[in-house]
Amino acid sequence: MVRQRLQAIAAPDHPRFQGERVELADLRDEPWLMDANSSVLCGVVTRACRRAGFAPRIRTHCPDASVTLAMAQAGLGVAVLPRMVVSGHGVAALPTAPALGRSVGLVVRRSRLRLPAVQVLLEESVRLCSPVLEST
């Protein structure tokens, strides 16, 4: 099990995204671009906003991260996405305060662990994800 870091994103010139992190409470008046209403990510972000003292004003629910990134880049709202999805997409991206994350796991039957395809999957998962994940 690993902890996946989440980052707030917005248009590159957004005034709240000029420091090293963005206070979640400072985004209270922003329109929010949220993942699907039933998703774990939507729940994590909504609960974090409520703990910060506000209910996010949701402009849209979109389960496609590439669409959310494009909308944020165009200045249509702010969002929170996994760090591994955000890099290199032309948006301002900062960790939030308080820090947000979610747990991610990969489940494999013990009897399948020795299969070459499973070994490749596990090795590639570690290689691709380790720069953006924290071990727990």
Side-chain angles (χ1 to χ4, degrees):
M1 187 71 65
V2 292
R3 186 95 176 133
Q4 186 178 44
R5 298 176 194 151
L6 301 175
Q7 289 189 319
I9 64 167
D13 60 349
H14 194 289
R16 299 271 186 210
F17 284 73
Q18 304 305 317
E20 292 185 23
R21 68 177 153 258
V22 62
E23 294 286 334
L24 209 52
D26 289 344
L27 302 177
R28 74 176 356 103
D29 296 325
E30 299 289 334
W32 281 80
L33 312 170
M34 200 69 77
D35 196 13
N37 192 38
S38 61
S39 74
V40 171
L41 181 59
C42 182
V44 166
V45 175
T46 301
R47 285 188 299 276
C49 290
R50 287 192 178 129
R51 281 192 304 273
F54 70 100
R57 188 170 45 96
I58 299 171
R59 172 170 272 172
T60 187
H61 284 280
C62 181
D64 187 328
S66 62
V67 174
T68 301
L69 285 160
M71 291 175 72
Q73 184 180 25
L76 298 176
V78 298
V80 172
L81 291 174
R83 181 176 163 213
M84 65 191 309
V85 173
V86 171
S87 65
H89 284 90
V91 293
L94 291 174
T96 59
L100 296 178
R102 65 181 180 175
S103 297
V104 177
L106 184 60
V107 179
V108 178
R109 289 184 182 183
R110 193 168 293 162
S111 63
R112 305 290 187 187
L113 280 173
R114 294 187 186 164
L115 293 174
V118 172
Q119 286 298 310
V120 170
L121 172 67
L122 293 172
E123 290 167 8
E124 283 300 297
S125 297
V126 169
R127 184 183 72 75
L128 292 171
C129 296
S130 37
V132 294
L133 298 174
E134 302 168 352
S135 296
T136 58

